[in-house]
Amino acid sequence: MTSSSRDAPVGIFDSGLGGLSVLRAVRAQLPAERVIYVADSRHAPYGERDDDFIADRTLAIGEWLVSQGAKALVVACNTATAQSIALVRERLAIPLVGVEPGVKPAALGSKSRVAGVLATQSTLRSARFQALLERHAAGCRMLCQPGLGLVQAIERGDVGSPELLALLRGYLQPMLDAGADTLVLGCTHYPFLDAAIRSIVGDRMTLIDTGVAVARQLQRVLDDHGVRADATADRATPDAVRLCSTGDGAQLRALAAALLQLDAPAEQVRIPSRRTADIDADAA
Ligand code: DGL
């Protein structure tokens, strides 16, 4: 591989702001990497969309990131991974890393042998998630709960209103009542609810977030392909992370500043696709 491949950015994409929790882990694990982050906020949430819509957007954004020079793609969205990683892997010429709910670490760690899984409706109904349960639940009872309304709240910047806490309590109390001691955060948006969840479950549940595992997997993939950035590269530069949004970018910028101490502008980008042609034409 040439030094220019090593210097190329990693593409990270999510339906919206959730992938910032993965970007945070990637920045900590691989500080020398340049990153282009795409939030498809105009079309979030994906979790209540049909499977074809999710595959269409994932492919279009993956292709756009390749056109921007990405050397690898992190699909930092459980829903997009569950519905379309196999298709996108076939169609894109760059290495891919997906994310999936931490069923395996939950089953390994749970003492009560009851764990909750909070994820989008689309992730929970996917064949990929069902296969994950079959392979890794290992006799641990998994209480699967769709987190309806949670992604919308986070996209609005709400991570602790009384309404949000009431919604969360409705999802978590039945898990506590059933004896769950572990909670899988099966959507990359949910780590932003950490404090809200803690205020409800206290220390009765261990929270499982796979951001760090994904960053380690990305490192392995970059090494396998010989494209990991030179560790001595100076990435304290303003262009180290390029933030892009299909929405207005205001929340993306605000959350990146709060979470990653990243004072970068959020570019508005248009990424047309078959299923959004009408919506994009209306906006033009
Ligand atoms: N962050 C996405 C995930 O991990 C949220 C999906 C959505 O937009 O509903 O599943």
Side-chain angles (χ1 to χ4, degrees):
M1 270 305 158
T2 63
S3 61
S4 66
S5 306
R6 286 197 295 273
D7 209 35
V10 170
I12 301 184
F13 131 78
D14 179 43
S15 62
L17 309 178
L20 288 177
S21 65
V22 175
L23 174 59
R24 174 173 53 183
V26 167
R27 295 273 292 161
Q29 178 78 20
L30 296 162
E33 295 296 338
R34 291 166 57 216
V35 173
I36 307 178
Y37 182 92
V38 173
D40 196 16
S41 290
R42 182 165 170 72
H43 304 294
Y46 281 5
E48 291 151 48
R49 303 274 195 179
D50 65 71
D51 302 357
D52 177 67
F53 184 95
I54 298 165
D56 175 59
R57 291 306 295 160
T58 306
L59 193 57
I61 294 168
E63 283 170 347
W64 186 83
L65 281 163
V66 170
S67 78
Q68 302 297 304
K71 64 184 173 185
L73 173 65
V74 180
V75 179
C77 176
N78 291 263
T79 309
T81 302
Q83 293 299 350
S84 52
I85 192 111
L87 171 85
V88 179
R89 214 182 274 289
E90 245 171 50
R91 304 276 277 274
L92 294 188
I94 57 172
L96 248 68
V97 175
V99 298
E100 57 191 9
V103 166
K104 188 175 178 183
L108 288 172
S110 170
K111 294 199 173 49
S112 67
R113 310 307 295 146
V114 185
V117 182
L118 198 58
T120 69
Q121 241 178 348
S122 173
T123 297
L124 295 177
R125 73 160 183 261
S126 68
R128 197 179 161 93
F129 178 72
Q130 291 306 321
L132 186 69
L133 281 186
E134 269 162 38
R135 265 201 326 277
H136 294 301
C140 183
R141 194 170 151 222
M142 296 283 165
L143 306 172
C144 297
Q145 170 65 53
L148 295 174
L150 299 179
V151 168
Q152 290 93 325
I154 296 161
E155 289 287 313
R156 292 195 293 274
D158 175 6
V159 292
S161 70
E163 295 75 22
L164 178 69
L165 289 177
L167 191 63
L168 263 180
R169 189 179 297 282
Y171 297 153
L172 299 176
Q173 193 60 50
M175 295 177 184
L176 290 170
D177 293 345
D181 64 355
T182 305
L183 177 66
V184 176
L185 303 178
C187 167
T188 53
H189 280 73
Y190 300 165
F192 300 126
L193 300 177
D194 190 280
I197 293 171
R198 281 277 165 236
S199 77
I200 295 167
V201 307
D203 58 6
R204 283 175 289 171
M205 286 176 130
T206 302
L207 307 189
I208 310 268
D209 163 21
T210 53
V212 172
V214 171
R216 289 204 190 111
Q217 174 64 10
L218 173 63
Q219 177 167 336
R220 275 191 290 275
V221 165
L222 294 177
D223 281 339
D224 287 351
H225 288 80
V227 293
R228 173 138 67 109
D230 179 353
T232 58
D234 176 14
R235 293 296 174 224
T237 54
D239 67 342
V241 178
R242 186 178 155 203
L243 297 175
C244 303
S245 175
T246 57
D248 71 13
Q251 289 295 349
L252 176 63
R253 181 174 192 161
L255 201 58
L259 188 77
L260 301 166
Q261 286 75 52
L262 204 67
D263 187 17
E267 278 170 55
Q268 258 191 292
V269 293
R270 285 197 60 216
I271 305 180
S273 68
R274 174 173 52 83
R275 289 291 301 275
T276 60
D278 295 351
I279 309 169
D280 290 333
D282 286 350

